[in-house]
Amino acid sequence: MKKRKRPVSEILGIILFISLALSIVYSAVRFLMAPQIAPDGQEHIKVKSDYLLMLTQCTLGLIVMSLPSLLNKKWKLGIPHFIYVLYYLFLYCAVFLGEVFEFYYLVPHWDTILHFFSGAMLGALGFILVDILNRDARVRVQLSPLFLSLFAFCFALAAGAVWEIYEYACDTALGLNMQKYATEQGRELAGREALLDTMKDIIFDALAALGVSVMGYMTNIRRKKGRNQAENGTENVSIASGD
């Protein structure tokens, strides 16, 4: 009997699950062992708040990685495999590489790259979800290509806003610095400087979502024109044959 080949999305999901599970154990152990405040002259040493942030992010990552599968099973959405691949890659880069391996500090503009990537991914997901409903014979309302693209753009921006609310809530409740309102040395920023990280994230979310929405709009227009031409061709053939 021929063995079933695992799809790429399933393999990436397994790798992500193992990476995050091990990271949760590691960050929990290090949190218990780390000092509350770095000793004088050893500011480079990680303290409890650093490992608490890592633990929080890894735990959340492990929870949200299952959301697309749960939604797909509950509502039979038919989410394409490439969306799973993009989603798992984003979580791996954002949580495992970003927090555990400190890519946010080691790789220039890592956070900006991820926000641009997530904006494009969420825009594509929003477009696909509504497009699936739009082509479903059981749904009577047919939405225009412009509305589909507008929804995809707003969907990505809404998800980005929810993420910023999550960061703000964690910073407030746990005393973290996810929104980068303070420097690595602990100096709190003020005014426009304090808003820089949050606004930069939202702006790059919007730019990526806008690009995907425009491409989706053009694709839908071409598809609609092709469908109209095919229908007109069928009608002409029917008239010529005397039906």
Side-chain angles (χ1 to χ4, degrees):
M1 190 173 178
K2 193 173 181 180
K3 189 176 180 181
R4 183 180 72 89
K5 188 176 180 181
R6 288 181 182 271
V8 176
S9 58
E10 189 175 331
I11 295 173
L12 288 177
I14 293 172
I15 293 173
L16 177 63
F17 179 86
I18 294 173
S19 300
L20 293 179
L22 292 175
S23 298
I24 288 173
V25 175
Y26 168 77
S27 55
V29 172
R30 295 299 300 173
F31 172 77
L32 296 174
M33 298 173 60
Q36 191 74 37
I37 302 174
D40 292 337
Q42 301 183 48
E43 285 76 13
H44 63 281
I45 292 179
K46 287 183 176 293
V47 295
K48 285 189 180 296
S49 61
D50 296 319
Y51 289 110
L52 179 59
L53 173 59
M54 188 187 301
L55 179 61
T56 303
Q57 294 284 59
C58 291
T59 303
L60 179 70
L62 200 60
I63 294 172
V64 301
M65 71 169 288
S66 62
L67 285 180
S69 297
L70 293 175
L71 294 175
N72 205 21
K73 289 177 181 178
K74 184 174 179 60
W75 285 295
K76 310 294 182 188
L77 298 174
I79 299 174
H81 278 289
F82 84 90
I83 289 292
Y84 285 97
V85 171
L86 294 178
Y87 186 66
Y88 292 151
L89 283 176
F90 169 74
L91 287 178
Y92 189 85
C93 292
V95 181
F96 188 66
L97 296 182
E99 292 295 343
V100 180
F101 282 89
E102 300 183 338
F103 271 39
Y104 286 118
Y105 302 103
L106 299 177
V107 180
H109 310 297
W110 184 253
D111 184 53
T112 301
I113 294 170
L114 288 179
H115 272 278
F116 190 85
F117 181 86
S118 67
M121 176 188 66
L122 290 167
L125 177 60
F127 192 94
I128 288 170
L129 291 177
V130 181
D131 193 46
I132 289 172
L133 296 175
N134 207 34
R135 289 185 283 129
D136 194 326
R138 295 169 297 179
V139 179
R140 296 182 180 181
V141 179
Q142 290 294 307
L143 304 176
S144 68
L146 179 60
F147 185 87
L148 287 175
S149 300
L150 181 62
F151 175 85
F153 178 74
C154 293
F155 178 83
L157 273 188
V162 169
W163 179 258
E164 296 301 326
I165 292 172
Y166 157 74
E167 288 189 342
Y168 176 81
C170 286
D171 287 349
T172 303
L174 303 177
L176 304 178
N177 187 29
M178 296 177 69
Q179 290 195 301
K180 305 296 185 291
Y181 63 87
T183 65
E184 291 183 55
Q185 292 73 34
R187 180 179 67 85
E188 290 196 2
L189 305 175
R192 291 175 61 87
E193 195 178 17
L195 293 171
L196 180 62
D197 182 76
T198 299
M199 293 310 303
K200 174 175 62 64
D201 292 348
I202 293 176
I203 288 170
F204 275 93
D205 285 339
L207 289 175
L210 179 62
V212 169
S213 299
V214 170
M215 288 189 291
Y217 175 78
M218 295 173 65
T219 301
N220 241 346
I221 288 293
R222 286 196 297 267
R223 183 195 297 166
K224 190 174 182 179
K225 286 182 178 179
R227 188 165 54 245
N228 291 338
Q229 289 173 358
E231 290 174 356
N232 291 335
T234 302
E235 289 176 2
N236 293 334
V237 170
S238 299
I239 293 172
S241 63
D243 291 344

